[in-house]
Amino acid sequence: MSKRAPSPADPAAAQFRVIKDITQALGRKLATGATEGLGRPVPVFFAYEEGLRKKGALTVVQVSLSGRGGNAEREYERAPDGTEQFRNPPLLLRAHYLISAWDTPPEDQVLLGVAIRTLHDDAELQTEGDEEHTVSYDGRPSLELRALPFEEHKARAEAFQMPIAPSVELTVDFVIRSARLQTIKRVKERVMDFRKIDG
C-alpha cells in the first residue's frame, strides 16, 4: 500500500486545530449561557489578566491533556475519486479546562453558578462552520464537570500565575485524526479461458 498526503479537500487536513476550536466553542457557550442567565453581557477570556474582577468575567483555561480509551483502529475511507484508503489510527485524548469566575465576592459565586448550570443543562459542545470537521466529525463531544480539591486547584492557579477564584474543572473528549493515508490497491479479477484446440 502506498502512502500519500491528504488532499486540500480532505476534511481531516486541518483537524489539528481541534483544541483551539473546542476552546472557542466553550467560550461561546459560556458567554451565551451566562449572559442569558444574568441579563447582562458576560465576557469570556482564555487566560487570566489583571482587572478581571472589575469586569465580571469568566475564564476558560486549557490546562492539560490526557489519553483515554476507545476505538483507535485505522479508518477505512473512500476518496471522492473512488480510491479506497486507510487512515492511520487516531489519537484519543481528553482536554482538561479550568473554568473560573471573576467578580467581587459573593457575586463571583453567582457567576460560577450560572456557568455550571449552563454546562450542566447542555452537556454537548455546539460547533460552527469548519469546527464541524475538526471537533464534531464523529459526533458532538460531551462535557463533564468535576469539583476541584483545594490543593489541586491551588497548584493549577499557581502554574498559570492566577489568583484562586471560584472554579470547576471541565473535561472534553476529542480525537486528533492522522493525516497519513494509505491507498488500498486491490488485485483485479483475472479471467482465464481454457479452450480445447482440436488438431
Side-chain angles (χ1 to χ4, degrees), residues 170-186:
L170 180 74
T171 59
V172 184
D173 290 353
F174 70 99
V175 173
I176 290 188
R177 300 177 80 191
S178 175
R180 298 296 297 273
L181 299 170
Q182 297 176 327
T183 302
I184 301 172
K185 293 185 177 179
R186 298 194 182 276

Side-chain angles (χ1 to χ4, degrees), residues 55-75:
K55 297 180 180 180
L58 293 166
T59 51
V60 177
V61 178
Q62 197 271 312
V63 295
S64 65
L65 297 174
S66 60
R68 64 180 177 86
N71 181 11
E73 297 179 0
R74 63 182 183 171
E75 301 171 290

Side-chain angles (χ1 to χ4, degrees), residues 98-132:
L98 185 65
I99 310 296
S100 301
W102 305 95
D103 206 332
T104 304
E107 292 305 312
D108 54 355
Q109 297 154 37
V110 174
L111 194 52
L112 182 66
V114 76
I116 290 172
R117 188 182 68 182
T118 296
L119 297 168
H120 176 67
D121 285 351
D122 185 7
E124 285 190 348
L125 197 60
Q126 304 300 322
T127 54
E128 295 179 355
D130 290 339
E131 292 171 354
E132 291 292 329

